[in-house]
Amino acid sequence: MRKERNPSQLEALWKERDMAEGTPVDAMVMIMRTNGCCWAKTGGCTMCGYREASMKDVTEGDLLRQLEQAMGAYKGEPFVKIYTSGSFLDGNEVPETVRERILDSFSGCRRILFESRPEFVTQDSVSSLPKNVTVSLGLESSDPEILRTSIRKGFTPEDSRRAGHTVKGAGLDVRTYLLLKPPFLTESAAIEDTVASARFADPFSDEISINPLNIQRATCVERLWRRGEFRSPWIWSLIEVLARLSGEVDARLMSSPSGGGTQRGAHNCGKCDREALEAVERFSLSQDPKDLEVGCECREAWKHYMLAERLLGTPADLERGFGNDLTIRK
Ligand code: SF4
Ligand SMILES: [Zn+2]
């Protein structure tokens, strides 16, 4: 039985390291409970488990009590990230008066970040925001067909581009999220898709955050995964994407893979996962491609995996069908 969730309590709060104004700083991350993403209520994106997490009837009073809880834990971190599992700019999730209270509470921070779907980004909604704000946009992919059929995002890449330029036009920063390996794509197609998407996002993004797909509960992707029709991406694929984009795009590249090193998240052979994820973390702060240099014999297995996918013409989880010996013998 699911535990009752209190609408006046934060979903989660933790501290981590991130960048603000070009330097690594302490960051506080707070996940607020709201009435949930408007798109999740219509079924949502294929990889998103937030429909399960959505609540009903969260009041302004509840949101303000969540803010109090956050202020109680706040120790002056220069960077504060406010996530709502939806859109901070959606008045149905966070009414404007509450939004202003939250932003005022952190007005002394060097940087505040929140997420929004592009339909809530308008000249009106962003022009009054304080200048320490970064708006995160979940572009996921710049391929309209992938966005429509594989991710079911409910907006187009052009919508994100418009939103990105609107945010930049208001003098604020943009962090763009890309989804590495949406369902139905092979590993190599996923790499190409993310590289192309980063090039698309670069002109309107200060940062590009690459999120390898992490299989969440009660999602379409989880059903595919249970049937052996999906393997979450290799960490090698993430490293490949970052290495190819490094020096090519102006935006800062970063990745902090949720569920990394587990079967549901980005993973390699198990032996090198930690080292590979640490390399990604180092690169995200340094932007130095040398930090991505990691060695393990499973790198060859990854290459064979991609070749086998191409030969068989399937994005199914080949490791499940054939074990980890996918050596293509000539
Ligand atoms: S991924 Fe974002 S836009 Fe899609 S359903 Fe989830 S919260 Fe909404
Ligand atoms: Zn390995």
Side-chain angles (χ1 to χ4, degrees):
M1 220 171 80
R2 188 124 52 90
K3 234 173 76 194
E4 273 303 303
R5 291 151 73 239
N6 182 342
S8 53
Q9 296 249 306
L10 291 169
E11 179 75 23
L13 182 146
W14 69 87
K15 311 280 175 93
E16 62 185 24
R17 297 283 283 171
D18 204 320
M19 301 286 283
E21 298 168 343
T23 44
V25 294
D26 290 333
M28 180 173 90
V29 185
M30 54 193 266
I31 315 250
M32 299 190 74
R33 290 181 172 155
T34 69
N35 288 322
C37 172
C38 58
W39 182 243
K41 289 183 183 132
T42 72
C45 304
T46 52
M47 72 301 183
C48 178
Y50 291 159
R51 191 156 41 104
E52 285 281 289
S54 283
M55 299 191 79
K56 282 198 292 233
D57 307 323
V58 178
T59 63
E60 293 195 17
D62 290 327
L63 294 169
L64 292 173
R65 278 188 287 280
Q66 293 183 44
L67 174 61
E68 265 172 41
Q69 192 192 340
M71 294 314 290
Y74 183 57
K75 298 281 177 284
E77 288 78 9
F79 190 178
V80 173
K81 305 185 204 181
I82 307 160
Y83 296 125
T84 65
S85 309
S87 298
F88 188 72
L89 294 177
D90 176 1
N92 186 46
E93 282 193 62
V94 187
E96 199 176 339
T97 46
V98 178
R99 199 186 307 146
E100 282 168 12
R101 281 279 291 277
I102 296 173
L103 295 175
D104 276 356
S105 303
F106 298 111
S107 59
C109 288
R110 274 154 73 180
R111 192 172 187 202
I112 303 176
L113 176 143
F114 58 73
E115 301 172 326
S116 182
R117 284 177 61 89
E119 59 263 41
F120 300 110
V121 175
T122 60
Q123 299 278 3
D124 259 12
S125 67
V126 296
S127 58
S128 55
L129 293 170
K131 298 296 177 227
N132 57 353
V133 159
T134 297
V135 180
S136 284
L137 299 170
L139 164 67
E140 320 294 12
S141 167
S142 61
D143 182 318
E145 271 315 288
I146 292 176
L147 215 52
R148 191 173 68 84
T149 55
S150 161
I151 304 177
R152 196 184 173 273
K153 196 75 202 182
F155 57 71
T156 66
E158 282 309 316
D159 294 331
S160 287
R161 179 165 21 208
R162 180 207 53 80
H165 285 300
T166 304
V167 174
K168 298 289 304 159
L172 310 176
D173 281 357
V174 174
R175 177 179 284 188
T176 297
Y177 294 126
L178 300 179
L179 180 67
L180 175 61
K181 203 172 177 190
F184 315 115
L185 265 68
T186 60
E187 198 79 18
S188 40
I191 292 171
E192 296 309 322
D193 176 58
T194 303
V195 169
S197 302
R199 290 178 184 142
F200 174 89
D202 193 34
F204 58 86
S205 305
D206 299 277
E207 294 170 315
I208 296 175
S209 176
I210 296 169
N211 295 333
L213 195 145
N214 174 40
I215 298 158
Q216 296 180 5
R217 287 182 207 288
T219 57
C220 267
V221 174
E222 187 185 50
R223 280 205 296 285
L224 292 171
W225 176 66
R226 287 197 187 282
R227 291 204 303 245
E229 289 168 12
F230 183 80
R231 185 210 190 274
S232 36
W234 292 71
I235 306 170
W236 292 125
S237 300
L238 173 61
I239 288 179
E240 170 82 9
V241 166
L242 294 171
R244 276 176 60 183
L245 291 170
S246 169
E248 194 198 314
V249 293
D250 293 328
R252 188 169 79 82
L253 294 163
M254 53 189 295
S255 180
S256 176
S258 315
T262 70
Q263 288 299 304
R264 284 177 178 264
H267 62 281
N268 284 347
C269 68
K271 282 183 274 174
C272 65
D273 290 28
R274 177 183 288 241
E275 196 191 340
L277 290 168
E278 281 170 2
V280 169
E281 195 182 327
R282 273 197 307 277
F283 172 81
S284 298
L285 294 176
S286 73
Q287 301 296 288
D288 182 350
K290 284 204 189 70
D291 280 336
L292 292 170
E293 286 167 13
V294 183
C296 180
E297 58 202 18
C298 76
R299 198 175 160 88
E300 281 306 301
W302 164 69
K303 288 185 188 160
H304 286 296
Y305 187 98
M306 291 194 289
L307 185 54
E309 274 184 325
R310 277 203 294 277
L311 292 175
L312 294 169
T314 175
D317 184 350
L318 299 181
E319 277 182 335
R320 249 191 278 176
F322 298 96
N324 55 12
D325 182 15
L326 279 169
T327 311
I328 310 292
R329 295 180 181 87
K330 301 218 171 90

